[in-house]
Amino acid sequence: MLDLVPKDLKENVKDKMAIFPMGVTRREYQHLVDDDEKLKSKYGINSKYTLLFIGRLVEKKGVIYLIEAMLNIISQFDANLIICGKGPLRKDLEKYVKEKSIENFVKFAGFINNHDKRNYLSLSEILIVPSIITQSGDTEGLPVVVLEGLAAGKPIIVSNVGGIKDVIQNGYNGFIVEPKNPEQIAEKISELLNNTHLRAKFSENALDTSKKYDWNVIVEKYVEIFRELMYRYTIAKYD
């Protein structure tokens, strides 16, 4: 928006801008799984650790780099990657997985409903959002799945793009890696899987961070803006 206004107006416009993220209903993601093994069986999860991606299978999501990172991870850990979502790149990604002979470690779950999403989040150790900037400049803003992951108390590994880094604090509630860098992704996955205490710390901090993004909080911010606009309108009308 600032790029569209004349230079002499930018500071004035900037002072009047307010940027609000989407929100999340925290209570929906804060439930306990009664029977982990039964739920794992339902979703075909048979590994010790579960890594999770949720999103559209399009270029800007950077899923190929996460799959490349798995080539390193499966040599060190009993871990599976669950890829939830559909999109035009699914066939290409499945072909790549088959070519690398890692079908037993990377599962494509396809489109999932909100109930299944909460279950997958509950069962996973780490949520990974490996977004990139495409050659055309397309990239993420702030994916809602990041807020959902925080509400579920999950450590999150994200790429340094868009508005994601405004929510994930490196070394506090997750890790920030450079885009298109499977080596860094694998390094941070390994660090978390090797350190139960660190995962617990990130989980606690994620839950604390998510409080700022509960819909009740976000809605109040919108209400404040509407009240201010109505006040200005009233003053201007009767001035």
Side-chain angles (χ1 to χ4, degrees):
M1 180 177 176
L2 291 174
D3 288 341
L4 297 176
V5 300
K7 290 183 178 179
D8 59 328
L9 295 178
K10 282 192 177 184
E11 286 304 316
N12 189 32
V13 171
K14 186 176 182 180
D15 289 341
K16 296 180 179 180
M17 289 176 63
I19 302 174
F20 299 153
M22 293 288 285
V24 63
T25 306
R26 294 176 66 243
R27 66 176 182 275
E28 292 183 357
Y29 294 89
Q30 296 170 2
H31 69 288
L32 297 175
V33 178
D34 294 328
D35 190 335
D36 283 8
E37 293 308 315
K38 184 176 181 180
L39 207 52
K40 280 187 173 184
S41 177
K42 173 183 177 180
Y43 294 115
I45 298 173
N46 54 13
S47 59
K48 180 178 180 180
Y49 299 114
T50 301
L51 310 175
L52 183 65
F53 168 86
I54 302 175
R56 285 265 299 159
L57 302 183
V58 293
E59 185 183 0
K60 69 178 180 180
K61 296 293 185 179
V63 182
I64 185 66
Y65 303 100
L66 173 55
I67 295 175
E68 288 179 6
M70 283 300 292
L71 296 172
N72 182 305
I73 294 301
I74 61 178
S75 66
Q76 304 178 61
F77 303 96
D78 177 17
N80 279 6
L81 169 63
I82 309 296
I83 297 175
C84 300
K86 62 180 183 179
L89 291 185
R90 175 166 178 171
K91 288 185 178 180
D92 290 339
L93 294 171
E94 287 180 323
K95 181 181 178 182
Y96 181 80
V97 166
K98 187 173 183 180
E99 288 174 352
K100 296 298 181 179
S101 301
I102 54 174
E103 302 100 314
N104 292 335
F105 306 97
V106 179
K107 174 186 175 183
F108 291 84
F111 174 79
I112 57 172
N113 58 35
N114 286 332
H115 175 73
D116 288 333
K117 181 193 296 183
R118 291 191 290 269
N119 283 339
Y120 275 122
L121 280 167
S122 182
L123 288 172
S124 65
E125 273 69 40
I126 309 170
L127 174 67
I128 305 160
V129 185
S131 311
I132 67 168
I133 302 174
T134 68
Q135 289 187 345
S136 65
D138 190 18
T139 190
E140 301 277 19
L142 172 58
V144 175
V145 70
V146 173
L147 305 181
E148 294 170 331
L150 291 172
K154 296 299 158 180
I156 308 178
I157 297 173
V158 301
S159 295
N160 189 18
V161 300
I164 300 176
K165 57 185 179 292
D166 295 332
V167 177
I168 299 302
Q169 301 174 53
N170 193 44
Y172 177 75
N173 52 14
F175 284 125
I176 299 176
V177 300
E178 290 306 308
K180 301 182 180 181
N181 197 319
E183 292 81 12
Q184 280 192 14
I185 295 173
E187 176 188 334
K188 295 308 179 183
I189 291 173
S190 298
E191 189 171 341
L192 283 166
L193 294 185
N194 274 321
N195 194 329
T196 304
H197 176 74
L198 184 62
R199 293 204 308 273
K201 175 187 171 184
F202 278 17
S203 177
E204 181 181 343
N205 293 339
L207 289 171
D208 188 58
T209 303
S210 72
K211 294 175 184 177
K212 296 186 292 185
Y213 300 99
D214 189 272
W215 268 123
N216 291 327
V217 175
I218 300 299
V219 165
E220 276 302 313
K221 292 185 177 183
Y222 278 100
V223 170
E224 289 175 13
I225 289 290
F226 294 146
R227 283 174 178 162
E228 182 179 346
L229 290 174
M230 287 301 296
Y231 174 76
R232 291 180 181 181
Y233 171 77
T234 303
I235 295 298
K237 182 177 181 181
Y238 294 102
D239 190 0

